[in-house]
Amino acid sequence: MNAIGIDVSKGKSTVAVLRPFGEVVAQPFEIIHCDSDFSKLVAFIKQLPGESKVVMEATGTYHEPLARYLHSNGIFVSVVNASSIFKPPAFRHWEKSSYNHYHSNNKMNYIYHTILTHNQ
């Protein structure tokens, strides 16, 4: 199973693909929010061997066009709320940069866990 994590921002997204045990299928790459890049992403996902599931963070409305496009092309998409990502109590008093470092290091692990949970 391919776990595809998409970090969405305004106008572009970063895509990473992992398999079980942390096997990196594709180094993170960026796509621009336009039909041609969305189409290339769909083709990329469909050529991957095995089942693929996409998880992306809810980002206001920035994620909606990509989520709709992937879903309309038959790709499993799960949009998760950022507040559901684990934030340990110790980080409540840390500087924002410390939390961001922790968050970015654990984002793909969370995404992969979310996909596994949906797979059961």
Side-chain angles (χ1 to χ4, degrees):
M1 198 245 328
N2 304 299
I4 302 166
I6 302 180
D7 188 14
V8 181
S9 60
K10 184 178 181 180
K12 67 179 182 176
S13 293
T14 302
V15 180
V17 185
L18 296 176
R19 285 198 186 115
F21 307 108
E23 177 190 349
V24 177
V25 176
Q27 291 297 320
F29 59 93
E30 287 189 354
I31 61 165
I32 302 300
H33 291 181
C34 64
D35 285 342
S36 63
D37 276 11
F38 287 177
S39 179
K40 289 176 189 174
L41 180 60
V42 167
F44 171 77
I45 292 170
K46 289 189 174 186
Q47 63 84 30
L48 293 171
E51 181 182 20
S52 296
K53 293 189 176 185
V54 173
V55 174
M56 63 179 62
E57 184 177 0
T59 53
T61 59
Y62 298 148
H63 69 280
E64 291 176 2
L66 179 56
R68 273 195 220 102
Y69 193 93
L70 294 172
H71 180 74
S72 69
N73 281 278
I75 296 172
F76 175 93
V77 179
S78 177
V79 178
V80 295
N81 189 308
S83 65
S84 66
I85 296 174
F86 176 71
K87 181 178 178 182
F91 283 103
R92 290 185 190 141
H93 302 290
W94 284 30
E95 294 179 26
K96 185 176 181 182
S97 62
S98 298
Y99 172 70
N100 286 343
H101 177 73
Y102 172 85
H103 179 71
S104 65
N105 286 343
N106 287 288
K107 190 175 225 177
M108 281 308 297
N109 287 334
Y110 176 79
I111 287 170
Y112 189 72
H113 172 73
T114 301
I115 288 173
L116 288 179
T117 303
H118 280 94
N119 203 31
Q120 296 175 352

